[in-house]
Amino acid sequence: MWKFIHKLASPPHFYRFSAKIIPWFAGVGSILVIYGTYAGLFLAPSDYQQGDAFRIIYVHVPAAYLSMMAYSIMAVSAAIGLIWRIKLSHAVAAAAAPLGAWFTFLALVTGSVWGKPMWGTWWEWGDPRLTSELLMLFLYIGYMALRAAIDDTVKADKASAVLALVGAVNVPIIHFSVEWWSSLHQGPTIIREGGPAMPVEMLYPLLAMILGFTFIFGALLLGRVRTEVLFRERRARWVRELVLTGAGPG
Amino acid sequence: MNGMFAMGGYGAYVWSCFGITLIVLVICVVQGRVRHNRTLKDISARLRAMETKS
C-alpha cells in the first residue's frame, strides 16, 4: 500500500495512472448526475412548502458542498506541501483553486436564484451563510491572483499556501454559520439529528447528485493536476520523451 | 407550457439553475483541456527551440 502511494506521488507515474482513471470517474459521475437530474426534476414529489422550487437543491447542494471540499483539499494539500515538501501536493493545491472558484460561483448563483422566490430577495448582505460563501470566492480569486503574480513556482507555492491556510478558517464558519447565527438560509437537510429531513424519493436523487458531482469534480481535478505536473516537470526527461515522441495532447 | 416543465410556476428559476450548472461544468471541462494542450504546445516549442540551438 505504501509502495503504491509512494509510486503514485512520483510525477510520471501519476501522469500515466491518472489518465487511466479520469475516464472512469467522468463516466460514473455522468451516469449518476444524469439519473439524479432526471429523478430530481421529474420523479421526486414536489415539496409541501416550497413546491417545485425545492428542486434547485439538486444542483445547489452538490455545488456548495464541493466548493467547500475543494477549499479543504486546497488547504490540506498546501499544508502537506509546506511541511513535507511533496511536489505533487502543491500541484494539487494549485489545481483545486480554479475548480473551487467555479463551484463557489455556481453555489452562489443557484442559491441566489433559489432565494428570489423563497425569501423574496436575490441577495441579503450581512447574512452569515451567504457572506461567508462569497468570502470564499474572494479567497479563491486572491489565491489565483497571488500565484499568477509570482513567476517562480516554488515561491508562488509557498506564498499561496500561506494564504490558503489563513483562509481555511472560513470553511467551518460557512458550515456552522446557519447554526451559530440566525440566517435566511435553511439548516442542514441530510446530515442532522434524527436523520435526513426528506423522504427517500427526494433523498436518493440528491445523494446521486452529490456522489456524481464528486466523481466529476475528481475527474476535473485530476485533469488539472496533470497539467500542473506537466508544467512543473517540463525540464524532466520523461516529459521531453512524452512530448517528442508525439504522444500528443491527452 | 407542459405542466411537467412549468415546475408549478417556478420553471424559470429551476431550469435556469440546471442550465447554469451545465454551462459551468462545460466551462470547467473546456478550460482544463485548453490549458493542458497549451502547456504541451509550450513545452514542445521550447524543446524544439533548444534542439535547433544545439
Side-chain angles (χ1 to χ4, degrees):
Chain A
M1 183 68 189
W2 275 112
K3 214 175 155 192
F4 174 75
I5 291 172
H6 192 76
K7 209 176 155 188
L8 193 59
S10 102
H13 279 106
F14 169 82
Y15 196 81
R16 251 170 280 150
F17 180 74
S18 58
K20 284 182 203 145
I21 54 173
I22 286 172
W24 288 99
F25 275 31
V28 172
S30 300
I31 290 166
L32 284 165
V33 166
I34 288 166
Y35 158 74
T37 301
Y38 176 72
L41 286 174
F42 303 118
L43 303 182
S46 54
D47 187 69
Y48 76 100
Q49 276 181 327
Q50 300 199 3
D52 287 311
F54 100 95
R55 299 184 196 280
I56 293 170
I57 201 173
Y58 294 110
V59 286
H60 177 70
V61 164
Y65 150 72
L66 281 166
S67 72
M68 292 160 73
M69 182 53 101
Y71 201 99
S72 308
I73 290 171
M74 184 173 94
V76 170
S77 304
I80 292 172
L82 276 184
I83 299 165
W84 289 294
R85 295 166 196 227
I86 297 169
K87 276 196 242 171
L88 193 61
S89 55
H90 281 305
V92 173
L99 292 174
W102 274 118
F103 279 88
T104 307
F105 168 77
L106 190 57
L108 287 166
V109 171
T110 54
S112 179
V113 174
W114 196 0
K116 183 61 185 163
M118 291 300 114
W119 306 333
T121 179
W122 299 100
W123 184 262
E124 185 68 36
W125 285 107
D127 184 273
R129 173 57 70 79
L130 278 55
T131 311
S132 53
E133 183 76 13
L134 182 65
L135 176 63
M136 188 160 71
L137 182 63
F138 295 150
L139 285 167
Y140 279 126
I141 292 170
Y143 177 93
M144 290 187 286
L146 183 60
R147 293 199 64 93
I150 306 172
D151 279 332
D152 184 285
T153 308
V154 176
K155 281 182 192 157
D157 282 341
K158 280 185 189 161
S160 62
V162 173
L163 176 63
L165 288 172
V166 171
V169 290
N170 188 48
V171 175
I173 290 177
I174 297 171
H175 183 75
F176 292 109
S177 58
V178 289
E179 290 174 28
W180 289 344
W181 302 288
S182 69
S183 169
L184 278 176
H185 200 284
Q186 64 198 60
T189 308
I190 305 172
I191 301 164
R192 62 194 280 281
E193 269 182 75
M198 35 163 72
V200 289
E201 312 90 82
M202 284 181 180
L203 181 65
Y204 287 168
L206 182 57
L207 295 179
M209 287 300 255
I210 292 171
L211 195 61
F213 267 80
T214 307
F215 272 109
I216 289 173
F217 177 84
L220 289 168
L221 181 64
L222 284 173
R224 296 245 178 188
V225 178
R226 292 183 89 228
T227 311
E228 279 287 328
V229 166
L230 201 60
F231 175 73
R232 285 153 189 260
E233 295 281 300
R234 61 193 180 281
R235 293 186 184 89
R237 189 147 56 135
W238 70 270
V239 171
R240 198 187 335 150
E241 281 165 2
L242 180 94
V243 171
L244 293 181
T245 54
Chain B
M1 201 159 79
N2 186 320
M4 208 151 124
F5 293 93
M7 293 289 164
Y10 294 117
Y13 300 105
V14 174
W15 289 107
S16 62
C17 281
F18 279 77
I20 189 118
T21 302
L22 184 65
I23 290 167
V24 167
L25 285 178
V26 169
I27 290 173
C28 284
V29 172
V30 171
Q31 203 177 50
R33 287 251 168 105
V34 168
R35 278 188 200 184
H36 197 81
N37 292 342
R38 200 198 295 145
T39 306
L40 273 172
K41 215 181 267 176
D42 288 352
I43 294 171
S44 92
R46 203 180 59 90
L47 286 173
R48 264 170 244 281
M50 265 164 52
E51 268 184 359
T52 50
K53 224 190 282 173
S54 59

